[in-house]
Every structure is written in C-alpha cells, then in structure tokens.
C-alpha cells in the first residue's frame, strides 16, 4: 500500500517535471468540471440525488439555483379523474378473434382498423381547467426550485470552478472575490433521506432563499430555522411537503416565503421532500409524508455537516467502490469536461473520459435508484417540468429496461430493487388489462406506463400496442436472481411474477399452419403496423418461458417446468431472410435500407440469450447482417443498445465506435435542437454528459455503461467469457468487481490486448466454465475463496 502510494507520488512528480500527462490511470479524478456556471438545465446543470430526490445545481455566481424533483410526485391517476380505470376497455377482447382472422387472411389494414377502434386503451382524460398535456395518465412532476441569492451579487470572480466528483458523489462550486474564497458543496444522502447544500465564505455574507414551484402552494411556514411548504399538484391534488432546516452562524429572518440570512460565514441547508403517493393499487395514496419530512429533518439535529458527509460517504462508497475501471493511455482530466468532450470528438485520445462515462452511469444509478424509492423514469430522477417529454414515465418497449441494464453487471444489485418493486406493483392492474384486452391469464403492460397502474394497451395505434412489455420487465426479476442466487427471493417474489408473465404467453400464442406458436396480433416496437408474428414477441416469449423453466426447475416445480419448456420449444424460432438478415417479422419483408432506431428483432442477442456467437453462430451472423444494415447513426438510447449488440457479437472496435458516438457532444454532427428527433440528429451527450435522445433521456447513459461491462465480460450463455470484446485501443487496463450470473465477482487485468489475470470469487460452491478467446476452462470454486486464472490456463 505504502509502496503503491510512493510510486504514485514519484510518477506524478516525474510527469510534472517532464511536462507529460500521467499515462497511468490511478491518479485520474473521476470528475466532471467546468470553468463557468450552468445556464441551461438540460445541457449544463449537474445532477445529484439521494434516491428519492433528484436535484440539479447550476453554480450561478450571484444566485444558486437548485431545481429538484421527488420521484413520486406525479400528476394523473385516480386523483385526476374519478373515472380513471387504468386505460382498460373491458370488452376489447371480444374483437380479438376477428382481428386474428383478418391477419390470417392477410387483411392487415382491416385488422389495424379494428384494433385501433376497439382494442386500444382509453386516452388520457382531462378535467375542465386542466392545462397539462397528460390529463389523467399524468406525468412525473418537478417539485420546484430553491433559489439562493448571494450578497455579493453577479460580480467578476477569480478561479471559478464547478464540478461533480463521482468518487465522493458531491457537487462543488468554488471561486474567490478579491482574495476572499467562496465555496459550495452539494450532496444527496440516502441514509438520511436528505439533500445537503453548504455555502461557506471567508467573509460574512448575506443569503436570500426562496422556493418557487409550478405546483400549488397551500401553506408556507418557518419555525426553529425550518422552512416548510405544503402543496399539491393542481391536476390531481397529490399532496407533498418540502422543507429545509438551516444551520448557520448568521442572523435569520423570514417574511412571506422568503428567508434571509445576514452575516453568515457558513450556511448549511438540509433539505427534504415527500409526497402522499404510495405505490399501491388501486388508490396509490396514503403515504404519511408530513411525518417522513419531520422525521428526516429531526434526525439531523445535532449532527454536523461533517457527520452528514461521513454517513453519505460510507453509504455511497460502499456501492460505488465495488467496481473500478482503469485504462492505460492519455487522459485529459486537466481540461473542463465540455472542452474535453469536444477534443475527444475531434479524435483526441482520452481513455480517461471513456472511464468517466462508464462510472457516471453507476454514479447516476446510485443517485437515482435506491431501495424504497421510485424506479428511475426516462430522465432518471431529474425532471424540471410539469410537461416533460413523454411524461418522463416508464416506457417498457426498451427505455425502462435499458435504464437498469448496468444494475447487476456493475455490482449495484440493490439499485435494481425499485424496478422490481414497481414490476411487482404492476401485476395486479396488469392482470385486469390482460383479461380485458386479450381474455388471457397472466399480466401485461404496454408501451407507456405511469405511476398509477396504467397497464392497458395505450391509446394510440400502432405505437401503444405492446403487451410484451411485461415479460421483458420480468427478465429483470429473473436476472436479479441469476446474479444473486437467493432461493427465498426466487420462491417468494420472483417466481410468482414470472409465472404470471409466462401464463399470458402460454394463453396468447396461437399455432400457425406449420404448428409453430406465433404472436397475433403483434407489433415490432414503433416500426410498421400490427401484424402476426413480430419476431421480438417470439423472442421475449421464449425468454420468459426459458427463464420460467429454469426457475421452476430450481424450485422443483416439475409441472410448470414441463409446460414452460414445451411451449418455449414450439415458438416460431428466429428466421433468416433473403438477404441473410435476421427477420423482424414472420414474413421476409425487411428493407435492407431501413435505418429505424428500434432494433427489436435482435432482442434474442441482447438483452436476451437465445442467440449468441458461441451457441448459435448462424443466427448471430444473421443478427450482424441486420445490425450492419441499420447502420450506426441513431438516437441516444439506440446508440447505447448498439454498443451492447456489438459487444455480444464480440466486435470490440465496433462497440467502442458506438460508445464514442454516445459520448460525443450532442448535436456535433447536426445542430441539436433540444426537441424530439427520431433520426439521430443531435444524439450524443450534453456538456453535463447526460445522454441526448435528443432531448435528454438517461437510458443512453445506462445503455452505454452496461455496454462497457459487456465488452469486458459476459455470462449470459452459462459460461463466463473474459474480455469477449476488448477494443484494440484499450490494450492495457484493469477492471475490478464486475458481476456474472451465478453469483460471481470478477476482476480482470490485461496487457498488450491479452488477458494477464482474472480473479474470481464465487458466492456459492460449485463448478464453473470460463472462456477466453474460444478456449474453455472448468474450475471447481469454493464460496468466498479467490481463484486466479492467467493466460496460461487457457
Ligand atoms: C420510445 C422510443 C422513442 C423515445 C421514447 C421515450 O418510444 O421509440 O425514441 O425514446 O421511447
């Protein structure tokens, strides 16, 4: 340890003397930093969070703006409309037979018309006077902004720096005015359920605090240095409280919602918020939010900011430090992140930025998704609007799942839990939707899902028709077990959800002329129209039945295992078409020039496991043909998905090319407009490294982080494959703490493009196969004991 530190110091000194930048990664800082304040929320402000609350700070000189949102603050649901019925249409299923018949006869237009008329869900209803876009479907809501005016005002400052430190999960702003230093520090504490904002200065300062919100303020109060605002969402009257406790050496006054602090060298703001929302069908209310706010703030009494910080550090680093990732090569940490990103785009080497972006995904997940909090939505937990793009909801035709792809792979299993809770909460409303629309057992969700169990087919055709969303979500429920084999979890929580998701498909699939089971009506997400036999449905049905078969086998439920396997094996297998492509539909109608962002028919390659170069090389080749044809350019999340596809196809260089396209400045190719763009113009990442669809969607960040893990290790085929898609420009590096299915923690070191050492720790005793460059090696592992593999072992 001492020696390592000594070497580091010597190396840094040498580097400085020689005027070269460090080529070894240990000194890299994992910081995003800028030399000016943010002026744009989406592109520049920096995200912090405590799982419950997502906040963005701007670092303005004369005024700090902290915008925040609590994950459960939603418009819509029963509170917005007493007739809200989760979108369901109880008679929809009566048209299913006719639709199927029309599809069989090739009358697709008529089938589409019938589905549109009778089998789509109830559109969002608006009450008189409701000015929101989403009516009783609702949208995730901003809670508002805390503005903090600083006495010195908007004046010239020296040495301005605004940063986000991923190692510590803190935001910082520093500068000086005529030799007097000013410093701000911001962080979110999950254990305490609070956000902490600290302002200090050499010179006593004046601060004026004001909370602005587009929601309805019912009552503001100030007592014992505690500000509170109780309010509600105008659309559904969902109640909330946000409050902050001040700790300061200054004099504090309160009048009309404004708090002023005079003569303070130190101002500590401990902030929290909660809502009446409860994730419980059918009412979704009843949370004792006022008590929660009080309890959280009372619990910080007598604790100083150092102790708050300490508790946050311990909590955060326990998760974050599980994975380290270092690449040998040039790192431009000395440049502000926006400049660095631009140079990188222009072709400058910056493996440090590649490391940073990977870890940023992990940081964002820890900040946005912790046990007991809402699942991440399209923007994670960060939303500054009452009408956010796509309602900032839970989209299940790719986005919600992608948000959680890195959870298990990058050793953040706990962060997966909010998604699993959410999935569990969808089963009951989803059963009603399955019954009403399809007359089946089991449960469904469709394309867009809200916080209030809207599991119906959505109100627009064809985009809203997507019952496969449930089985795809359920893959996460299974994977949580696959990575952390805990039979009690499997039996008590996962299996019931899985069985119900499988039952929908057991009932829904129908035999074709060759006696294969096909999905009809079906729809390949946001591409084409309703038809019979969209490949993605078959692949997802295969996945849930395959996973259910394995789960049933583990739990000794022979009868369900037999059923799941029998149905699985009758599903129409992936088809290869006339130009060698994996078919998107049952019919060989794919257009080789089509560049659509959804690459749904490659689900079986990723995140599924039906296709792999190792087990099904011909199908993997057909997937590659299809992927080549789609091209690289795409919206943010689609680029992220393609990193994963290429990693699974073991083409590390192509995966890295796509990864770089995710990181490139958004709009670097054509001007990003900040508005929705489906063609890929303006995709990449903003200066704050949040991914641009455009606009901002967090799924691209998470897809990219997962993609890097897939480049370094894979375990979906049963073996653990080491460095399956190592790019040539990452010749030397090290990753520690990745997780593999079966419950393994893996550290990898490589040099000159070759494996140097793999260190494996198993959660459970048993044999395991490891693969490196096509060669396999079996080891008998004992739980908790470290095993080392080197190049010579293969
Ligand atoms: C899916 C995608 C869109 C967008 C939306 C939030 O429907 O097709 O591109 O990402 O989700």
């Amino acid at each position: 340890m001492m020696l390592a530190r000594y070497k580091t110091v010597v190396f840094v000194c040498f580097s400085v003397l020689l005027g070269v930048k460090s080529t070894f990664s240990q000194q890299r800082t994992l910081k995003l930093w800028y030399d000016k304040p943010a002026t744009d929320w989406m592109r520049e402000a920096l995200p912090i969070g405590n799982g419950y609350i997502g906040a963005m700070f701007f670092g303005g000189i004369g005024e700090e703006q902290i915008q925040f949102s609590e994950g459960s603050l939603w418009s819509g649901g029963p509170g917005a409309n007493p007739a809200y019925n989760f979108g369901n249409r109880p008679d929809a299923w009566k048209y299913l037979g006719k639709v199927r018949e029309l599809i069989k006869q090739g009358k697709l237009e008529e089938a589409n018309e019938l589905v549109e008329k009778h089998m789509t869900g109830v559109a969002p209803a608006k009450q008189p006077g409701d000015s929101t876009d989403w009516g009783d479907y609702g949208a995730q809501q901003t809670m508002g902004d805390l503005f903090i005016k600083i006495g010195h005002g908007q004046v010239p400052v020296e040495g301005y720096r605004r940063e986000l430190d991923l190692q510590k999960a803190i935001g910082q702003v520093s500068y000086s005015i005529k030799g007097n230093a000013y410093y701000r520090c911001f962080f979110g504490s999950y254990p305490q359920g609070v956000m902490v904002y600290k302002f200090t200065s050499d010179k006593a300062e004046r601060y004026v605090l004001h909370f602005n919100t587009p929601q309805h303020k019912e009552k503001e109060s100030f007592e014992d240095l505690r500000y509170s605002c109780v309010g509600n969402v105008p659309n559904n009257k969902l109640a909330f409280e946000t409050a902050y406790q001040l700790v300061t050496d200054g004099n504090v006054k309160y009048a009309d919602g404004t708090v002023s602090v005079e003569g303070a060298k130190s101002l500590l703001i401990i902030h929290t918020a909660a809502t009446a929302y409860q994730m419980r069908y059918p009412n979704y209310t009843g949370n004792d939010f006022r008590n929660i706010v009080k309890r959280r703030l009372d619990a910080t009494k007598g604790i100083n900011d150092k102790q708050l910080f300490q508790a946050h550090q311990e909590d955060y680093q326990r998760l974050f430090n599980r994975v380290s990732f270092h690449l040998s090569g040039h790192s431009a940490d000395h440049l502000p992140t926006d400049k660095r990103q631009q140079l990188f785009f222009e072709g400058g080497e910056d493996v440090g930025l590649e490391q940073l972006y990977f870890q940023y995904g992990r940081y964002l997940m820890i900040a946005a998704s912790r046990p007991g909090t809402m699942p991440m939505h399209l923007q994670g937990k960060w939303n500054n609007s009452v009408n956010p793009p796509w309602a900032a909801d839970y989209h299940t035709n790719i986005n919600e799942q992608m948000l959680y792809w890195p959870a298990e792979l990058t050793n953040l299993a706990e962060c997966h839990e909010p998604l699993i809770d959410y999935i569990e909460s969808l089963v009951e409303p989803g059963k009603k939707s399955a019954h009403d629309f399809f007359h089946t057992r089991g449960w469904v969700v469709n394309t867009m899902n809200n916080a209030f169990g809207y599991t119906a087919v959505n109100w627009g055709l064809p985009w809203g028709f997507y019952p496969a969303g449930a089985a795809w979500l359920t893959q996460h429920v299974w994977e949580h077990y696959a990575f952390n084999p805990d039979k009690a979890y499997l039996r008590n929580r996962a299996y019931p959800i899985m069985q119900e998701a499988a039952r929908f498909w057991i009932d829904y699939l129908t035999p074709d002329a060759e006696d294969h089971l096909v999905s009809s009506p079906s729809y390949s997400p946001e591409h084409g129209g309703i038809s019979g036999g969209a490949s993605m449905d078959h692949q997802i049905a295969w996945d849930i039945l395959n996973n259910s078969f394995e789960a049933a086998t583990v739990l000794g439920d022979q009868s369900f295992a037999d059923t799941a396997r029998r149905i699985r094996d009758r599903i129409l297998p992936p088809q290869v078409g006339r130009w060698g492509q994996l078919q998107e539909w049952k019919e060989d109608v794919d257009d080789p020039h089509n560049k659509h962002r959804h690459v749904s028919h490659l689900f079986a390659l990723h995140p599924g496991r039906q296709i792999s170069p190792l087990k099904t090389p011909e199908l993997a080749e057909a997937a590659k043909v299809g992927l080549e044809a789609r091209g690289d350019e795409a919206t943010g999340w689609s680029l992220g998905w393609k990193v994963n596809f290429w990693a699974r196809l073991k083409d590390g260089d192509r995966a890295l090319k796509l990864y770089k396209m995710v990181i490139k400045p958004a709009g670097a190719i054509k001007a990003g407009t900040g508005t929705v763009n489906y063609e890929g113009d303006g995709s990449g990442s903003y200066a704050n490294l949040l991914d641009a669809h455009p606009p901002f969607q967090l799924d691209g960040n998470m897809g990219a982080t997962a993609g890097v893990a897939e480049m370094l290790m894979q375990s979906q085929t049963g073996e653990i494959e080491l460095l399956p898609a190592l790019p040539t420009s990452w010749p030397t590096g090290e990753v520690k703490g990745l997780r593999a299915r079966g419950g393994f923690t893996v550290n990898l070191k490589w040099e000159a493009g070759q494996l140097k050492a793999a260190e494996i720790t198993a959660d459970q005793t048993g044999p395991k196969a490891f693969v490196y460059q096509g060669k396999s090696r079996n080891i008998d592992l004992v739980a908790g004991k470290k095993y080392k593999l080197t190049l010579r072992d293969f």
Side-chain angles (χ1 to χ4, degrees):
M1 184 64 199
M2 275 309 287
L3 188 65
R5 209 174 281 160
Y6 170 75
K7 274 190 184 155
T8 304
V9 171
V10 170
F11 190 86
V12 171
C13 295
F14 261 90
S15 309
V16 171
L17 281 177
L18 296 173
V20 293
K21 264 153 259 116
S22 154
T23 53
F24 192 62
S25 49
Q26 297 295 350
Q27 294 93 31
R28 289 181 196 152
T29 51
L30 290 182
K31 283 179 182 177
L32 284 73
W33 74 273
Y34 308 84
D35 54 12
K36 50 182 180 310
T39 54
D40 185 277
W41 181 88
M42 180 174 76
R43 296 174 174 84
E44 295 169 348
L46 292 172
I48 51 173
N50 66 7
Y52 303 94
I53 296 172
M56 290 277 219
F57 70 94
F58 286 66
I61 291 167
E63 183 174 53
E64 181 56 81
Q65 177 180 356
I66 299 168
Q67 182 281 327
F68 67 98
S69 157
E70 206 280 346
S72 66
L73 195 72
W74 267 75
S75 60
N81 174 14
Y84 174 81
N85 79 335
F86 316 92
N88 290 326
R89 286 222 214 163
D91 286 339
W93 64 273
K94 292 183 179 155
Y95 298 86
L96 184 61
K98 178 81 182 144
V99 169
R100 283 186 171 152
E101 199 45 47
L102 288 169
I103 289 173
K104 231 178 218 163
Q105 293 166 7
K107 297 179 179 163
L108 295 185
E109 263 177 44
E110 281 175 55
N112 272 266
E113 270 170 35
L114 209 58
V115 174
E116 179 148 36
K117 202 154 166 217
H118 300 289
M119 294 188 70
T120 54
V122 179
K126 285 196 194 181
Q127 298 298 306
D130 182 352
S131 60
T132 65
D133 282 355
W134 300 96
D136 66 353
Y137 176 78
Q140 214 281 320
Q141 299 287 299
T142 178
M143 201 171 268
D145 296 79
L146 189 58
F147 288 97
I148 301 136
K149 279 206 170 81
I150 300 141
H152 59 58
Q154 185 64 37
V155 288
V157 300
E158 296 110 47
Y160 180 91
R161 185 174 165 111
R162 173 173 64 97
E163 70 169 43
L164 186 64
D165 182 336
L166 307 188
Q167 195 70 54
K168 298 196 174 111
I170 52 170
Q172 299 181 91
V173 178
S174 56
Y175 54 90
S176 59
I177 300 173
K178 295 186 187 131
N180 291 308
Y182 287 82
Y183 174 71
R184 302 173 205 166
C185 172
F186 308 121
F187 61 88
S189 170
Y190 170 67
Q192 234 83 33
V194 298
M195 304 298 293
V196 178
Y197 320 127
K198 169 123 199 222
F199 293 71
T200 54
S201 54
D202 285 349
K203 230 177 99 197
E205 258 307 345
R206 172 183 155 80
Y207 297 91
V208 179
L209 289 74
H210 190 80
F211 169 57
N212 268 5
T213 178
Q215 311 301 349
H216 175 63
K217 279 187 185 178
E218 273 169 45
K219 186 173 176 253
E220 284 176 293
S221 60
F222 192 78
E223 214 175 300
D224 294 335
L225 297 184
R226 184 177 298 181
Y227 166 87
S228 151
C229 175
V230 176
N232 63 59
V233 177
N235 156 290
N236 61 1
K237 303 286 173 280
L238 177 67
F240 68 87
E241 179 177 10
T242 185
Y244 59 78
Q245 182 73 48
L246 295 184
V247 182
T248 178
D249 56 354
N251 289 320
V252 183
K253 281 196 196 119
Y254 174 78
D256 301 330
T258 299
V259 179
S260 43
V261 183
E262 299 279 353
K265 283 191 171 180
S266 162
L267 172 66
L268 178 65
I269 305 167
I270 306 171
H271 173 214
T272 194
T275 81
Y277 174 86
Q278 218 174 6
M279 196 186 279
R280 217 172 37 205
Y281 176 77
N283 299 320
Y284 297 93
T285 189
N287 191 35
D288 193 3
F289 63 103
R290 298 221 48 189
N291 246 325
I292 292 173
V293 165
K294 183 174 171 347
R295 215 175 343 101
R296 284 184 189 156
L297 292 184
D298 286 353
T300 65
K301 264 192 191 151
I303 304 181
N304 63 31
D305 56 321
K306 285 202 184 67
Q307 289 163 314
L308 278 171
F309 179 69
Q310 198 55 38
H312 159 59
Q313 286 302 280
E314 275 163 25
D315 166 70
Y316 175 76
Q317 293 192 347
R318 187 176 57 82
L319 299 176
F320 187 75
N321 290 350
R322 286 178 189 163
V323 172
S324 62
F325 175 43
H326 300 296
L327 292 169
S328 187
H330 179 65
S331 176
D333 307 48
H334 61 293
L335 289 177
T337 305
D338 45 346
K339 303 214 169 66
R340 180 177 192 184
Q341 194 190 10
Q342 183 60 34
L343 279 184
F344 181 70
F345 171 63
E346 287 163 11
E349 182 191 326
D350 192 350
V351 289
L353 185 59
E354 290 163 356
Q355 287 172 202
L356 183 77
Y357 202 89
F358 166 78
Q359 290 288 25
Y360 194 35
R362 298 185 66 248
Y363 162 83
L364 290 162
M365 182 172 288
I366 301 171
S369 186
R370 305 296 297 273
T373 71
M374 293 294 280
M376 290 187 281
H377 54 68
L378 287 168
Q379 299 175 182
K381 285 271 156 75
W382 297 278
N383 168 25
N384 69 339
S385 172
V386 292
N387 273 325
W390 296 285
D393 68 358
Y394 313 109
H395 265 59
T396 58
N397 66 6
I398 176 67
N399 319 88
E400 189 62 26
Q401 293 88 342
M402 182 180 281
L403 283 165
Y404 282 92
W405 285 348
E408 302 293 343
L409 294 171
T410 74
N411 217 332
L412 297 174
E414 299 91 329
C415 298
H416 215 168
E417 285 179 24
L419 179 67
I420 293 163
D421 291 345
Y422 179 59
I423 295 170
E424 206 165 31
S425 83
L426 294 173
V427 174
E428 219 182 322
K431 277 185 177 175
K432 177 91 172 70
S433 296
H435 176 270
D436 286 2
F437 286 89
F438 307 110
H439 215 47
T440 61
R441 297 172 300 163
W443 66 286
V444 294
V445 302
N446 285 268
T447 308
M448 290 175 71
N449 301 270
N450 63 8
F452 306 103
Y454 190 107
T455 44
V457 173
N458 298 168
W459 54 90
L461 197 73
W463 64 266
F465 188 96
Y466 190 62
W472 189 350
L473 281 176
T474 306
Q475 187 190 54
H476 287 254
V477 175
W478 164 252
E479 294 256 285
H480 191 56
Y481 167 78
F483 279 88
N484 315 284
D486 167 2
K487 265 200 199 175
Y489 160 78
L490 183 65
R491 180 177 298 110
N492 303 329
R493 291 197 68 196
Y495 193 54
I497 303 172
M498 293 173 72
Q499 276 190 306
E500 291 301 325
R503 282 190 183 117
F504 168 75
W505 287 103
I506 293 171
D507 291 359
Y508 190 68
L509 294 166
T510 49
D512 67 3
E514 286 81 42
D515 209 32
H516 277 127
L517 293 178
V518 295
S519 169
S520 178
S522 71
Y523 175 57
S524 196
E526 313 204 25
H527 199 195
I530 298 277
S531 67
S535 304
M536 184 185 233
D537 271 9
H538 301 154
Q539 297 173 9
I540 288 180
W542 189 94
D543 193 72
I544 180 62
L545 290 163
N546 188 48
N547 294 340
S548 299
F549 162 69
E550 289 188 12
T553 308
V554 171
L555 296 174
D557 182 351
Q558 198 54 49
S559 137
F560 198 72
D562 289 344
T563 306
R565 186 175 45 188
R566 184 169 46 78
I567 304 291
R568 178 197 72 185
D569 293 343
R570 273 185 69 197
I571 296 174
L572 181 73
Q575 303 288 300
V576 179
R578 66 195 191 287
W579 44 281
Q581 88 284 12
L582 199 72
Q583 289 178 202
E584 185 162 354
W585 295 277
K586 186 169 187 266
E587 287 76 30
D588 187 1
V589 293
D590 302 284
D591 170 2
H593 304 294
N594 188 288
K595 304 289 176 207
H596 201 272
R597 65 193 180 287
H598 282 269
V599 203
S600 310
H601 51 306
L602 266 53
F603 173 93
L605 176 68
H606 181 278
R609 54 187 170 126
Q610 193 179 1
I611 295 179
S612 70
L614 209 62
K615 303 268 159 90
T616 58
E618 292 86 14
L619 291 175
E621 190 49 40
K624 191 172 181 172
V625 170
L627 192 57
E628 278 289 5
R630 281 284 159 94
D632 293 336
E633 286 297 342
T635 57
W637 60 258
S638 181
L639 295 174
W641 200 355
K642 288 172 186 172
V643 179
N644 291 270
F645 284 138
W646 286 113
R648 289 256 171 123
L649 289 169
K650 302 192 197 188
D651 187 336
D653 287 342
R654 191 66 173 269
L656 182 62
K657 180 186 175 207
L658 266 304
Y659 184 55
K660 288 185 169 186
M661 289 171 75
V662 176
I663 301 174
K664 76 167 188 274
I669 291 189
K670 289 180 196 161
T673 56
T675 53
V676 174
N677 185 309
Y678 287 103
E679 311 309 322
D681 295 352
S683 62
S685 294
Y686 298 113
N688 53 14
L689 299 188
L690 291 177
D691 189 74
H693 175 287
F696 161 43
Q697 265 182 226
L698 196 74
D699 42 17
N701 287 90
M702 297 308 191
T705 292
V708 170
E710 294 275 348
M711 284 151 84
L712 301 172
M713 189 185 68
Q714 291 174 27
S715 61
Q716 69 281 358
T717 55
E719 294 89 357
I720 295 182
E721 204 170 352
L722 310 174
L723 303 176
L726 189 66
T728 40
S729 55
W730 291 357
T732 299
E734 185 178 10
V735 67
K736 282 186 179 167
L738 293 182
R739 291 281 291 172
R741 291 166 186 83
F744 301 88
T745 308
V746 180
N747 303 339
L748 294 165
K749 228 186 202 160
W750 62 96
E751 260 176 38
Q754 292 290 314
L755 177 72
K756 183 119 185 11
E759 216 172 62
I760 302 120
T761 316
D763 296 357
Q764 291 180 331
T765 299
K768 191 74 192 167
F770 292 82
V771 175
Y772 178 63
Q773 293 186 344
K775 292 181 203 129
S776 180
R777 162 95 201 212
N778 287 304
I779 329 182
D780 287 313
L781 295 119
V782 174
K785 205 171 151 230
K786 264 195 182 134
Y787 287 81
K788 201 168 169 179
L789 286 171
T790 65
L791 196 53
R792 264 176 283 133
D793 292 305
F794 291 96

